[in-house]
Amino acid sequence: MSNEHKTKPGDETAAVYWRENVKLVCGLLTIWFAVSFGAGILFVEALNNIQLGGFKLGFWFAQQGSIFVFVALIFVYAARMRVIEKRFGVSEE
Amino acid sequence: MDTQTLTYIFVGLSFALYIGIAIWSRAGSTSEFYVAGGHVHPVANGMATAADWMSAASFISMAGIIAFAGYDASVYLMGWTGGYVLLALLLAPYLRKFGQFTVPDFIGERYYSKLARIVAVVCLIVISFTYIAGQMRGVGVVFSRFLELPIEWGVVIGMGIVFFYAVLGGMKGITYTQVAQYCVLIFAYLVPAVFISILITGNPVPQLGLGAAVADGSGISVLAKLDATLVDLGFSAFTEAKKTKIDIFAITLALMVGTAGLPHVIVRFFTVPRVSDARKSAGYALVFIALLYTTAPAVGAFARLNFIDSVNEKSYAAAPAWVKTWEEIGLITWVDKNQDGVIQYAAGAPFEGRAAYTGDTGLHGERLVSNAPTTNENEIIVDRDIMVLANPEIANLPGWVVALVAAGGVAAALSTAAGLLLVISASISHDLLKKTFRPKITERGELMAARVSAAAAIVVAGYLGVNPPGFVAQVVALAFGLAASSLFPAILMGIFFKDMNREGAIAGMVSGLVFTLGYIVYFKSPWFGAVNSADFWLFGISPEGIGAVGMVVNFAAAIGVARFTKATPLSVRNLVDNIRMPKAFPR
C-alpha cells in the first residue's frame, strides 16, 4: 500500500475492510495449499502409510479429499464475507 | 427397441430441448448477448458454469485417464477443481463488481491502454480456439460411435445446433441450454457409475465404493486389489506416483491457475446480479463439478479392475461381446503372440507403433495387424477413451443407459463449445470493434457484429474439428499454460496491486505468453526435432506444467518493469478502490 495519494474520509474503514478480506483469503488459501499440494503431492508417501477405510490417506486427499475441502472453502469464504460486509455496511443485500 | 433407435430418440429429444430453450431465451440487447443481462440466479449460473467447464474430455476421457494413470491422474482432479477456489477468492467477486462484458474489458480499463486490451484479446483467442477444436472433434466422435455417422457429419450437425442457440440467444440462450445440458450429462454419468459401484462393491455411492471392499467375500479393498493385480502383471501400483514430484506439482499448479484464468469460465461470473452471488455461484459451480470429478476416480478404478477381470487369461472365443464390438472400430487390438487363443494382459505395448490392420482375420476371428510384435507378454491394447463409453456394456446395463451416455457426451461437448464461441465473438465485436477500431458503432450494429463473429467462429471451429492440425490433440495443455502465464497474473495484480501499471502488465503478459508458448511449441511440435523427455526439460518440468513457470516469469517481468516506469494514475487507483468494495461506504 502506498500513501502517495491523499486519503479521503471513509478510506480508513475501506482499508480496514480490505485488510480483513485479504487476511481471510490468505488463511483459506493456506488450507487450499495444504490439502492439495501438501497432503496430495509433497507428503503423499508419508500419509499413504495411514489407512482411511479402504484408502491410503495421501491418495484419498489427491483424488477425493482435496476436492471436498475446496468446495467447503468457497462456501466458508462466501459466508464470512457476508458477515464482514454487513458489519461494514457495504452489503448489497 | 434396440439401442440404436433409443440413442436416436434420446439425442433427438435433448436437441429439441436445447432448441426450444434457445427460442424462448433470444437475446434482444448486447448486454443480454454478452452477459445474459446480469440476471442469472447463482445456482443456475453454477450449473451453467459446470456444463461450460466439463468438456467432452472430462466426460469421456477423464475416467479412462485415471484408469490407466492411477495416482498420476490426480493432477487433473485437483488441478481442474482447485482453480475454482482461486476464482472465488481472488477474481470472480471483483470482476463482477467491475461489471463490464469481457475479460479484455477489465484488462483494457485497469491498465488504461488499448494495447493491453489487444494483447488480452490475442491471448483469449489463442486459448479459446485451441480448446474449441477438441470440442468439435468430440461431438464428431460421439456421433460417429453411437449414431454410426461419419465424423464429418457429426461435426456439421453439432455446428448447426450450436449455431442456432449461440447466434440467436447469445449468453442468455447459452446459459439456459447449459443448465439443461448439465442435467443431461450428470445424470448420464452417474447412472452407470452407481450400477457399476453396486456390481463391484455392493455400495451404491461410487465415492464410497472406491474405498470399500470388493464384493467377492475376500474382504480386500478395491484399491488394494487393484494395486496387487497390477503389480502382478508387471505394472506399477495404481496408487503410486510414476511422474516426478516436481512435475506433478507444476502440472497441478498450471492447471489450477489456468482454470482460474480461462476467459469462458471467468465471463460466467459477469452474469450474476451481485458480488456476493459471484462468490456463492463459484461454490455451486464447484459442487456440480465435484459431483462428476469425485465419481470419475471410482469409475476409473472399477473400469480397470473390470477390464482385467474380463479379458486377462480368458480365451478370445469366450470373451464378452463388447471386446469384439470395440475391436471392430479399432479401439481394442489383440495379437495372439503365443498362439494359445487366450488373451494375456501385461505391462508394455503389445506391438510397435499404431495398429495397422491387414484386413484379414486370424485363427480365432481376431483382426490381424502387420505391426512387428514386441518381446513382452502383453497381447492386448485398449484405447482409454472407451472406459466410460463401454462401461454400460461391460456392466451389462440396459440399452437406454447406453443411449443416455451418448446424449450426455454430446451435451458435454456442445455446452463447452458454445461457451468458447461466445467469448471469441464478444472479444471481436466488443473489444476489437466497439472499444478499439469502431467506437461509433450502434448497439444494433454491435449486436449484429457479435452474431456474425459467432457464426464465423463456428465455421472456423468446425473446420478445425474436421481437419485437426497435426499436434492439436497434444496441445490442450497449451490453453491452460497460456491462461496461467498471461491472463491470470494480469487480472490478479490488477485487483491486488494498485502499483501495477500499464507497462508492467503488458511486459508481464507478453513475456509469460512468449515463454510458455515457446517452450510448448519447442517440445511438442515436430519442427525443432527436440526430444520431449525429462532429461531435456527445464527443472524436469514437462510442457504440461510449464505454465506454472510462465506465471512466475509474468509476475517477475511485470513487477520489474512497473518499478521503473510511470506510476498508475489516480483515476485508476480509484477504480481499483471501487472494485474492491461490493458497495460504496455509507457516508
Side-chain angles (χ1 to χ4, degrees):
Chain A
M1 275 286 192
S2 74
N3 297 316
E4 65 212 22
H5 60 291
K6 284 210 161 57
T7 46
K8 294 186 300 267
D11 264 14
E12 220 28 66
T13 31
V16 176
Y17 166 85
W18 185 246
R19 263 206 305 278
E20 292 218 3
N21 175 32
V22 170
K23 219 167 70 191
L24 178 59
V25 166
C26 289
L28 294 173
L29 286 183
T30 309
I31 302 176
W32 165 83
F33 186 87
V35 293
S36 50
F37 294 98
I41 298 175
L42 295 174
F43 304 109
V44 68
E45 289 88 0
L47 288 175
N48 274 347
N49 293 323
I50 305 169
Q51 199 76 17
L52 176 85
F55 289 106
K56 294 176 182 170
L57 190 59
F59 181 83
W60 180 78
F61 266 113
Q63 300 217 331
Q64 308 261 286
S66 57
I67 301 177
F68 297 136
V69 177
F70 293 157
V71 172
L73 287 176
I74 298 181
F75 282 107
V76 168
Y77 180 63
R80 293 283 291 273
M81 283 310 282
R82 256 173 72 125
V83 174
I84 293 177
E85 279 164 11
K86 287 236 170 74
R87 202 170 79 221
F88 282 83
V90 292
S91 166
E92 300 163 285
E93 284 159 35
Chain B
M1 252 185 290
D2 64 347
T3 307
Q4 187 76 13
T5 321
L6 278 170
T7 307
Y8 272 104
I9 293 174
F10 273 52
V11 173
L13 278 179
S14 67
F15 280 3
L17 177 68
Y18 307 152
I19 290 175
I21 293 172
I23 294 173
W24 165 70
S25 58
R26 260 174 325 196
S29 65
T30 47
S31 163
E32 286 191 343
F33 194 91
Y34 294 140
V35 294
H39 299 308
V40 182
H41 189 275
V43 174
N45 187 54
M47 272 193 201
T49 309
D52 205 334
W53 175 239
M54 291 189 288
S55 57
S58 293
F59 188 89
I60 298 171
S61 309
M62 175 120 87
I65 293 174
I66 299 168
F68 290 97
Y71 167 79
D72 282 359
S74 310
V75 296
Y76 303 109
L77 292 163
M78 288 188 285
W80 287 339
T81 53
Y84 281 85
V85 178
L86 299 177
L87 203 55
L89 271 53
L90 301 176
L91 310 183
Y94 312 109
L95 292 173
R96 176 61 196 91
K97 177 66 199 302
F98 172 69
Q100 300 266 353
F101 295 146
T102 66
V103 170
D105 252 345
F106 176 77
I107 294 192
E109 302 256 325
R110 167 60 182 84
Y111 296 115
Y112 45 99
S113 155
K114 280 189 179 164
L115 180 61
R117 186 189 287 266
I118 291 171
V119 172
V121 170
V122 170
C123 297
L124 180 148
I125 288 180
V126 175
I127 293 166
S128 301
F129 267 116
T130 318
Y131 219 98
I132 205 170
Q135 298 309 314
M136 281 299 172
R137 192 73 185 168
V139 176
V141 168
V142 173
F143 269 90
S144 66
R145 273 185 213 169
F146 289 99
L147 302 176
E148 290 171 13
L149 291 169
I151 286 191
E152 292 75 20
W153 276 102
V155 172
V156 169
I157 294 171
M159 279 167 62
I161 299 283
V162 174
F163 184 86
F164 195 80
Y165 68 73
V167 172
L168 200 65
M171 187 56 122
K172 201 174 162 204
I174 287 178
T175 302
Y176 294 107
T177 38
Q178 281 175 337
V179 170
Q181 284 160 339
Y182 176 75
C183 298
V184 171
L185 83 85
I186 198 68
F187 189 63
Y189 203 83
L190 293 183
V191 167
V194 167
F195 274 114
I196 291 169
S197 184
I198 294 176
L199 206 69
I200 294 190
T201 67
N203 192 325
V205 182
Q207 287 82 349
L208 299 176
L210 182 59
V214 185
D216 58 1
S218 62
I220 305 172
S221 76
V222 171
L223 289 168
K225 181 170 179 196
L226 194 50
D227 274 352
T229 312
L230 287 176
V231 171
D232 244 17
L233 295 174
F235 294 93
S236 52
F238 189 78
T239 56
E240 304 289 328
K242 287 156 281 282
K243 287 184 168 51
T244 60
K245 203 165 278 252
I246 186 169
D247 200 24
I248 289 179
F249 191 98
I251 297 175
T252 307
L253 185 59
L255 293 177
M256 280 190 188
V257 176
T259 300
L262 283 180
H264 72 285
V265 176
I266 293 177
V267 80
R268 288 240 47 103
F269 296 94
F270 288 64
T271 67
V272 294
R274 290 176 306 208
V275 173
S276 55
D277 293 330
R279 298 187 196 111
K280 264 189 284 180
S281 193
Y284 290 123
L286 190 54
V287 169
F288 295 129
I289 292 167
L291 210 49
L292 190 146
Y293 275 43
T294 54
T295 305
V299 173
F302 296 154
R304 187 77 183 274
L305 209 50
N306 239 340
F307 175 75
I308 298 172
D309 273 354
S310 22
V311 302
N312 188 35
E313 296 300 337
K314 298 281 185 304
S315 110
Y316 176 82
W322 56 264
V323 172
K324 283 151 201 166
T325 326
W326 293 96
E327 185 188 6
E328 248 158 58
I329 51 174
L331 295 176
I332 290 182
T333 313
W334 175 59
V335 188
D336 196 8
K337 289 199 273 196
N338 56 359
Q339 311 282 323
D340 63 355
V342 175
I343 304 171
Q344 271 90 24
Y345 180 55
F351 46 75
E352 312 276 352
R354 287 174 62 95
Y357 295 101
T358 59
D360 295 325
T361 50
L363 272 181
H364 311 279
E366 78 274 18
R367 294 180 71 187
L368 292 177
V369 292
S370 57
N371 307 55
T374 49
T375 52
N376 62 41
E377 284 174 12
N378 186 25
E379 297 185 336
I380 189 162
I381 186 163
V382 53
D383 187 300
R384 65 185 187 203
D385 281 355
I386 74 170
M387 283 300 159
V388 163
L389 300 175
N391 243 342
E393 299 165 79
I394 297 177
N396 273 322
L397 300 180
W400 64 268
V401 179
V402 179
L404 191 61
V405 170
V410 176
L414 287 183
S415 56
T416 306
L420 289 161
L421 285 166
L422 192 94
V423 295
I424 293 171
S425 77
S427 71
I428 293 171
S429 63
H430 183 71
D431 291 304
L432 290 187
L433 287 179
K434 172 80 181 173
K435 294 286 181 160
T436 310
F437 296 114
R438 289 260 186 290
K440 292 209 181 87
I441 195 167
T442 60
E443 160 105 8
R444 276 178 70 96
E446 190 186 342
L447 190 56
M448 193 41 151
R451 291 201 157 112
V452 171
S453 44
I458 291 174
V459 174
V460 175
Y463 176 82
L464 291 174
V466 177
N467 305 299
F471 62 103
V472 104
Q474 302 172 32
V475 293
V476 194
L478 191 70
F480 289 94
L482 295 184
S485 61
S486 62
L487 296 177
F488 179 84
I491 303 172
L492 184 76
M493 291 187 290
I495 298 162
F496 286 83
F497 301 114
K498 271 190 208 167
D499 291 333
M500 183 45 60
N501 62 6
R502 170 179 61 198
E503 291 77 6
I506 295 173
M509 280 193 286
V510 171
S511 55
L513 187 75
V514 169
F515 170 79
T516 309
L517 194 61
Y519 191 86
I520 295 176
V521 170
Y522 179 74
F523 281 111
K524 289 281 198 175
S525 76
W527 307 321
F528 300 96
V531 183
N532 188 14
S533 90
D535 300 340
F536 303 95
W537 295 338
L538 186 65
F539 313 126
I541 295 174
S542 61
E544 284 77 16
I546 203 64
V549 181
M551 175 181 71
V552 176
V553 169
N554 182 327
F555 279 128
I559 293 168
V561 170
R563 275 188 79 113
F564 299 105
T565 44
K566 235 173 112 214
T568 328
L570 186 61
S571 62
V572 172
R573 289 177 171 275
N574 290 339
L575 170 77
V576 177
D577 279 332
N578 181 290
I579 61 169
R580 286 179 176 184
M581 308 294 292
K583 200 177 82 178
F585 258 106
R587 292 283 150 81

